Amino acid sequence: MASPQPILPYAAPRVGVRFAGVASQLPSRVLSNADIATIVDTNDEWIFQRTGIRERRVCDRAKGESNRWLCSESLRKALINANLPAAELDLIICGTISQDLRCPSTACLVASDIGAGTAAAWDLGAACCGFVYGINIAHDLIRMGNYRNIGVIGCDTISAIVDYTNRGVCILFGDGAGAAVLRATDDTTKGCLAQVNKADGTGWLDLYMPAEQWQIPDNADRTQQRVGCLHMNGKAVFKFAVSTFQELIAETLAKASISADEVDVFVCHQSNMRILEAARERFGIPAEKLHTNIDRVGNTSAGSVPLVLDELVREGKVREGQKVMFVAFGAGLTWTASLWQM
Ligand code: COA
């Protein structure tokens, strides 16, 4: 059997890619562990010990908060930070699996909300990996020369698809969004040094949302799986996440031929504090290099990575000249990483 072709490192680029602006948006309503304990049999101590979460945010529909609103606000603010008019965007990629409308894409609605004219626009369904898959694709499109300015959004409103009677799932998720404006630059040292994008659909049943009854497999426990709600095999996902997280970091470092201590900041999907701690210990990453906000926002799926990034940029902890690694994994199953020279 022929051995697999190695993926070649990037050829010498003619154009660099930079993060020109970053921003995020959270909904207004706070849902604390104490609030959840009024709905299901749980308590703050159990949730915090198992996940590191104290509270999360959820959309208040009465105030007009929705997936579309979170996406539009985050990209609108990222464009202000990038000092770029929306009309100059060539493309909007929106990583989400909880869009308000199945058709058209949220990215098209965002383009109309922010005045992005006829920029190309599509949604990217990769669950918690949506934003990191998105920046990897956007980076390569810009490097190829056909696009100069791309808005990448990561957003999920999982509160709309969570069964609030299922205590194994509802404790984890919150709503939120973040966005980045990626732009071409003449500085060819800037851009993605290495990326990994993977998926294994054989694990789809570990984290999925049946939209209709027939989509629930015959051998599944039908009393546990409700149509329109996220179903999760927590233990299987936990195992997958711990091992994948560590393999992802190792593979990305190897591709770039650098060691973990040469990375200035790790921007990681906030799925569970214990999963993040395991990766930190495995690579000896000091706590200040792996920022967490899961205590305040929970797991926001595709919103997770850009929400962390925005906090770090605002605190001056992610800046030009640094090496920054983005890491995510989620339903699909999917996993991805992206190492940047900022
Ligand atoms: N409050 C109190 N007790 C709870 C509970 C809750 N919210 N949820 C479950 N339990 C109970 C269970 O009923 C079970 O009780 P039993 O032993 O009497 O049967 C016990 O706690 C252990 O349940 P289990 O499901 O084995 O817990 P766990 O240690 O696996 O923790 C998760 C559950 C969800 C926190 C954990 O599996 C997890 O974080 N998985 C990864 C999820 C994830 O990251 N998903 C997103 C990926 S992008």
Side-chain angles (χ1 to χ4, degrees):
M1 202 171 77
S3 57
Q5 290 290 310
I7 295 174
L8 297 173
Y10 286 113
R14 283 172 298 168
V15 61
V17 185
R18 68 187 180 95
F19 278 79
V22 172
S24 63
Q25 183 66 49
L26 285 168
S28 59
R29 201 176 139 219
V30 175
L31 188 67
S32 68
N33 289 349
D35 294 329
I36 290 190
T38 65
I39 312 169
V40 286
D41 181 14
T42 189
N43 57 72
D44 176 57
E45 196 192 347
W46 194 97
I47 300 174
F48 187 69
Q49 271 183 5
R50 300 285 169 111
T51 67
I53 300 168
R54 289 277 189 212
E55 61 184 39
R56 68 287 294 141
R57 299 290 190 94
V58 293
C59 285
D60 186 339
R61 305 280 166 196
K63 290 186 181 162
E65 295 172 353
S66 64
N67 185 301
R68 171 182 180 169
W69 175 77
L70 290 170
C71 290
S72 295
E73 286 309 296
S74 57
L75 184 54
R76 195 194 311 275
K77 291 188 285 185
L79 284 161
I80 292 169
N81 293 338
N83 200 17
L84 185 78
E88 292 192 24
L89 283 174
D90 303 312
L91 166 65
I92 297 172
I93 300 174
C94 182
T96 188
I97 49 147
S98 48
Q99 50 274 65
D100 305 323
L101 299 178
R102 187 177 289 188
C103 180
S105 69
T106 306
C108 283
L109 302 174
V110 170
S112 115
D113 287 348
I114 66 172
T118 54
W122 70 72
D123 288 358
L124 192 164
C128 306
C129 291
F131 180 78
V132 182
Y133 265 24
I135 59 172
N136 282 339
I137 293 166
H139 171 271
D140 287 6
L141 290 174
I142 293 172
R143 276 257 154 109
M144 290 293 287
N146 273 329
Y147 297 80
R148 291 194 66 80
N149 304 317
I150 302 182
V152 182
I153 305 167
C155 174
D156 270 310
T157 44
I158 301 290
S159 68
I161 54 170
V162 150
D163 173 3
Y164 280 100
T165 66
N166 182 343
R167 65 180 181 171
V169 178
C170 72
I171 56 165
L172 281 176
F173 294 99
D175 301 341
V181 176
L182 300 186
R183 300 196 65 186
T185 167
D186 292 336
D187 181 350
T188 54
T189 63
K190 287 188 180 4
C192 186
L193 303 173
Q195 57 174 265
V196 173
N197 303 290
K198 297 273 178 71
D200 177 8
T202 62
W204 72 279
L205 267 174
D206 288 338
L207 192 49
Y208 84 111
M209 193 207 83
E212 292 179 38
Q213 194 69 32
W214 63 266
Q215 292 163 343
I216 301 174
D218 290 339
N219 57 358
D221 179 355
R222 284 169 185 264
T223 60
Q224 298 294 314
Q225 302 189 20
R226 286 179 52 188
V227 166
C229 292
L230 205 59
H231 168 77
M232 180 176 74
N233 179 346
K235 279 206 187 313
V237 174
F238 191 92
K239 239 173 105 183
F240 153 75
V242 169
S243 62
T244 304
F245 204 141
Q246 301 184 8
E247 283 161 22
L248 250 180
I249 294 177
E251 186 177 348
T252 312
L253 291 171
K255 266 188 161 180
S257 304
I258 65 168
S259 62
D261 44 323
E262 289 175 77
V263 178
D264 296 291
V265 186
F266 290 83
V267 183
C268 299
H269 172 46
Q270 309 281 299
S271 55
N272 181 314
M273 191 59 125
R274 290 186 294 150
I275 296 170
L276 292 166
E277 286 298 328
R280 235 172 43 71
E281 278 165 30
R282 155 80 173 75
F283 293 96
I285 302 168
E288 63 273 16
K289 279 193 177 188
L290 200 161
H291 182 75
T292 60
N293 64 5
I294 190 168
D295 57 325
R296 288 170 281 122
V297 300
N299 179 341
T300 54
S301 185
S304 180
V305 167
L307 274 163
V308 172
L309 175 64
D310 184 40
E311 282 186 14
L312 288 167
V313 169
R314 280 189 281 124
E315 291 169 15
K317 291 178 180 162
V318 162
R319 23 177 214 280
E320 236 183 281
Q322 287 180 324
K323 285 189 174 57
V324 175
M325 189 189 289
F326 302 89
V327 186
F329 46 85
L333 299 166
T334 52
W335 59 105
T336 178
S338 189
L339 174 68
W340 283 67
Q341 178 64 56
M342 299 299 242

